[in-house]
Amino acid sequence: MIKEKLNNKFLYFFLRAVFAVIFIFAGMEKISDPASFSQTIENYKLFPEFALNFIAIYLPWLEVISGILLVWSKHETENLLILNSLLVLFTIIIIISVLRGLNIECGCFGTAMGIKVGIAKIIENLVLILVGVYLQYFSQLRKNEI
Amino acid sequence: MFKKINIRNLLYIIFGSMLMALLYNSFSAIGIDLVGNKKEYKTLNSAKKDSTVNEISLITPALFYSWYETKSIKIIDARDQWDFAEGHIKGAINIPEYSFEKNNISDFEIMPDDSLVIYCSANDCDISKRLAEELLLLKFKNLFVFEEGYEYWIKARLPTEKSEAR
């Protein structure tokens, strides 16, 4: 019953568009200032120094390209898998930072917005993960139908 | 749930994005170095503590031990409080680098004019250098990093102690 209600074409396309746009926006913000994003990653104190710039250069592009392909309905399940994996990874990193008592900028949408890591950010990410799991599941059903 | 994942497409997206990112970064005016430049520090083996001002120096084990014996320096352990509690250089102050912020500097018994020798586990950890860089920004003048770290200190059977972080 619930599955039937959730398996709604309009709901699916709406959530997919929102999900993709969030990642495109987040990625674009980071691409616009890679040096600051590299500094933000360093503040998490989890990554080796030599890898910071590479992560700052690569990660935003992965978000943007996967987001664009998702809006475009190209390789949906693969792009959803990438974005969901990133989301889970970000959430784990934020949880670790909160547990370590760090009061740093999240850098989730670049450095311009000044969002800090914290419980609110974790809850926001968990909601996004729910949306991601929903999309992953129903993209699979749609693929099967085809 | 993941039965229909096409691994080839997945790899195309992952490596295609990497290629785009690297190309954009190469041609962009705001591009950054692919690998962060590792800062080089000079090594002191015999010098007065106050001869180095406003920069960070590495010190040799022999020099560190000679200063340690005269008790003219403050020793900073940059590792976390759990490692510190398990064992540290006798007399060291624990300032965990991971939770260090400029506003909590007053929590520690250090002043900008103090000579500070900072260490972490061993050569392969860089948190002692990171902490030194952060203290340099806070106008600390005499900063030294004992790069060989706590592992060397234990192997040399020099004085250690176990206690709670302070």
Side-chain angles (χ1 to χ4, degrees):
Chain A
M1 181 77 176
I2 297 172
K3 192 175 162 184
E4 274 172 22
K5 281 195 174 175
L6 285 175
N7 194 10
N8 178 309
K9 201 165 76 175
F10 296 106
L11 178 68
Y12 177 81
F13 284 117
F14 173 72
L15 287 178
R16 195 186 69 180
V18 171
F19 194 72
V21 166
I22 287 173
F23 277 96
I24 294 169
F25 177 65
M28 298 287 264
E29 280 289 321
K30 291 168 197 160
I31 288 170
S32 68
D33 190 357
S36 299
F37 184 47
S38 173
Q39 182 58 52
T40 307
I41 301 168
E42 187 182 359
N43 292 342
Y44 279 96
K45 297 170 181 179
L46 282 173
F47 304 98
E49 210 171 285
F50 69 86
L52 297 174
N53 283 10
F54 177 74
I55 299 170
I57 292 166
Y58 174 47
L59 195 71
W61 278 91
L62 187 61
E63 288 178 305
V64 170
I65 289 178
S66 292
I68 290 171
L69 290 174
L70 191 60
V71 172
W72 196 13
S73 289
K74 278 274 177 196
H75 313 309
E76 258 179 273
T77 42
E78 290 79 10
N79 286 302
L80 280 167
L81 180 65
I82 290 171
L83 296 180
N84 280 328
S85 306
L86 288 178
L87 202 48
V88 170
L89 187 71
F90 296 157
T91 310
I92 291 170
I93 290 170
I94 292 171
I95 290 172
I96 291 171
S97 304
V98 170
L99 291 176
R100 290 164 96 192
L102 296 186
N103 180 26
I104 54 172
E105 267 189 31
C106 159
C108 314
F109 292 93
T111 49
M113 298 177 82
I115 303 166
K116 297 266 183 179
V117 297
I119 302 296
K121 192 69 217 168
I122 294 171
I123 294 169
E124 190 183 306
N125 275 17
L126 290 176
V127 172
L128 269 179
I129 288 173
L130 276 180
V131 175
V133 169
Y134 162 83
L135 292 171
Q136 188 88 55
Y137 181 72
F138 284 99
S139 75
Q140 203 64 62
L141 280 190
R142 282 170 199 289
K143 218 169 183 177
N144 290 339
E145 282 167 15
I146 296 164
Chain B
M1 195 168 180
F2 301 113
K3 271 180 189 170
K4 299 277 178 180
I5 298 286
N6 184 326
I7 300 294
R8 203 170 65 170
N9 287 341
L10 193 65
L11 293 176
Y12 277 147
I13 298 162
I14 290 171
F15 289 106
S17 305
M18 195 184 290
L19 189 66
M20 291 279 285
L22 295 175
L23 279 174
Y24 176 81
N25 187 63
S26 313
F27 295 107
S28 163
I30 52 164
I32 55 175
D33 291 336
L34 190 57
V35 178
N37 289 330
K38 208 166 175 72
K39 199 172 169 182
E40 295 292 331
Y41 300 94
K42 68 174 183 178
T43 305
L44 286 188
N45 41 33
S46 62
K48 284 185 175 178
K49 291 186 293 298
D50 55 358
S51 64
T52 311
V53 178
N54 294 337
E55 65 178 68
I56 299 160
S57 303
L58 307 179
I59 55 166
T60 60
L63 181 61
F64 178 33
Y65 188 66
S66 70
W67 288 356
Y68 178 78
E69 278 194 313
T70 59
K71 297 185 176 174
S72 55
I73 43 157
K74 286 187 176 174
I75 304 163
I76 308 296
D77 189 321
R79 298 172 304 156
D80 61 43
Q81 55 269 48
W82 301 284
D83 283 343
F84 181 82
E86 278 177 23
H88 54 264
I89 295 176
K90 194 172 181 185
I93 300 166
N94 185 213
I95 305 182
E97 192 271 340
Y98 79 83
S99 60
F100 180 77
E101 285 173 45
K102 58 180 180 226
N103 358 335
N104 64 15
I105 188 68
S106 55
D107 298 350
F108 308 103
E109 297 154 7
I110 52 171
M111 300 297 288
D113 290 329
D114 290 340
S115 292
L116 305 178
V117 177
I118 306 164
Y119 73 93
C120 52
S121 308
N123 296 37
D124 56 356
C125 72
D126 59 358
I127 52 173
S128 50
K129 289 173 197 156
R130 284 196 209 175
L131 182 63
E133 291 287 350
E134 289 178 81
L135 289 170
L136 190 65
L137 293 175
L138 294 173
K139 311 287 181 206
F140 279 76
K141 291 171 187 162
N142 301 308
L143 296 165
F144 306 92
V145 172
F146 174 50
E147 208 178 18
E148 285 75 6
Y150 188 58
E151 280 180 18
Y152 178 93
W153 197 261
I154 295 173
K155 278 182 193 158
R157 301 188 175 198
L158 295 168
T160 61
E161 63 184 351
K162 289 182 183 183
S163 66
E164 290 303 310
R166 53 176 161 154

